[in-house]
Amino acid sequence: MGEKNNEAADDEKLSRKVYDQELKRLHGELVSLQEWIRRTGAKVCVIFEGRDTAGKGGAIKAITERVSPRVFRVVALPPPTEREKTQMYAQRYLPHLPAAGEIVIFDRSWYNRAGVERVMGFCTEQQAKKFLDSINGVEKAMIESGVVLLKYWLEVSPQEQTRRIESRINDPRKIWKLSPMDLKSYGRWYDYSRARDDMFAASDTPWAPWYVVDSNDKRRARLNIITHLLSKLPYEAAKHVKIKLPKRQKADGYVEPEDIRHHVPATF
């Protein structure tokens, strides 16, 4: 998977013009999906996992930038508290699952235990294996309660990961994305590969399969994810009602005051 250098894909990066055109079209479809979720009371849970710099945040932003945050809710949990560390591992994620009329997107999820925590030594091998033995039952219970569960793994090549990390180091706009943990995990490529393979073997089930996304080209990855997400939900296109603006009321003697204080300076 990520171990192979996909030179052909690098040579055929999607142009910004085509990307913007397709994303605009897909955003319209996501609005239709939003209205269908509201109308039907559907419950949708989407998980994004993958290697560091694989593009999870960008994919989530592409999905959510034109829809309502009241319907599309993004969850990115901080490290667990001391109390949460004593709970069943998936327990702190459960309150964030969707209610009727919501689609919840997890920017990393309960699978932290099978990936980051296992590789970086934040849990024991026994704890990681116990999690993998039990998570299928938890996910089956979610689905039986009416939740549509979609699990995406974003895969990037080692060469592309290196390029992206170096770009973060050298760009003041991106340096905040680079944590000490990212630098430590960078050298453990094959530990992450083994952890990923174990996770797939244990939790790629008929009721909750993993969908792998080639994210060497971020633009293609985003469009492919949105297209796939839409294909997995039986929404209908929103009916467009012709809208006519009402007449604006007359001033009836109102005069704009001259002394309006605290203006933002017109620097530009």
Side-chain angles (χ1 to χ4, degrees):
M1 255 181 286
E3 290 81 353
K4 296 180 181 179
N5 185 12
N6 194 344
E7 294 180 357
D10 289 342
D11 292 339
E12 300 171 7
K13 296 276 188 180
L14 195 66
S15 72
R16 167 62 69 175
K17 181 179 179 180
V18 172
Y19 172 71
D20 287 343
Q21 289 174 342
E22 289 301 310
L23 188 60
K24 182 178 180 180
R25 178 183 64 81
L26 290 171
H27 279 158
E29 295 297 319
L30 286 169
V31 170
S32 293
L33 174 63
Q34 172 179 274
E35 297 312 304
W36 174 80
I37 289 173
R38 277 176 168 165
R39 186 173 65 253
T40 62
K43 298 182 290 185
V44 182
C45 179
V46 184
I47 289 174
F48 280 96
E49 293 287 348
R51 298 182 186 274
D52 292 330
T53 77
K56 297 178 292 295
I60 292 170
K61 182 179 178 181
I63 292 170
T64 59
E65 63 183 341
R66 296 292 182 175
V67 290
S68 171
R70 294 182 179 86
V71 178
F72 283 73
R73 186 158 52 85
V74 178
V75 176
L77 296 186
T81 64
E82 290 303 314
R83 179 178 182 276
E84 288 171 335
K85 289 177 182 178
T86 68
Q87 297 174 341
M88 179 183 76
Y89 186 75
Q91 185 174 340
R92 76 187 190 111
Y93 294 92
L94 299 182
H96 300 279
L97 292 177
E102 290 182 338
I103 176 167
V104 173
I105 300 174
F106 282 94
D107 185 352
R108 294 203 180 275
S109 66
W110 43 89
Y111 284 102
N112 264 348
R113 172 129 296 182
V116 174
E117 291 193 8
R118 184 181 189 182
V119 172
M120 300 307 295
F122 296 138
C123 71
T124 66
E125 279 295 305
Q126 183 181 10
Q127 287 173 320
K129 290 176 180 177
K130 185 176 180 181
F131 165 80
L132 290 174
D133 287 342
S134 64
I135 195 58
N136 291 340
V138 175
E139 291 182 351
K140 196 165 191 178
M142 291 180 196
I143 293 164
E144 289 174 350
S145 75
V147 174
V148 178
L149 178 60
L150 296 171
K151 304 188 300 193
Y152 292 105
W153 174 271
L154 276 62
E155 189 62 59
V156 66
S157 70
Q159 294 82 7
E160 179 63 13
Q161 186 188 56
T162 298
R163 188 193 68 77
R164 291 178 187 179
I165 288 179
E166 288 176 343
S167 76
R168 291 182 180 184
I169 293 171
N170 299 319
D171 190 335
R173 300 167 300 173
K174 299 178 181 179
I175 192 64
W176 65 271
K177 294 182 177 181
L178 192 62
S179 69
M181 186 61 60
D182 294 332
L183 295 176
K184 288 181 181 178
S185 64
Y186 173 78
R188 302 187 181 184
W189 178 272
Y190 292 104
D191 287 343
Y192 273 101
S193 294
R194 294 182 184 95
R196 175 203 62 199
D197 295 347
D198 287 349
M199 184 183 74
F200 285 171
S203 61
D204 184 30
T205 59
W207 57 87
W210 278 101
Y211 297 104
V212 179
V213 183
D214 177 356
S215 65
N216 278 330
D217 184 335
K218 289 182 179 180
R219 294 172 186 168
R220 290 184 191 277
R222 293 166 190 169
L223 298 181
N224 288 335
I225 289 167
I226 296 173
T227 300
H228 184 269
L229 171 65
L230 291 167
S231 75
K232 291 298 177 180
L233 297 165
Y235 74 100
E236 300 170 355
K239 294 180 180 178
H240 296 287
V241 179
K242 190 174 181 180
I243 298 173
K244 185 178 180 181
L245 286 174
K247 290 183 178 180
R248 184 169 285 166
Q249 66 182 159
K250 295 180 179 180
D252 288 334
Y254 175 78
V255 178
E256 194 76 32
E258 294 182 5
D259 184 22
I260 299 179
R261 295 174 295 169
H262 309 305
H263 279 285
V264 172
T267 306
F268 299 98

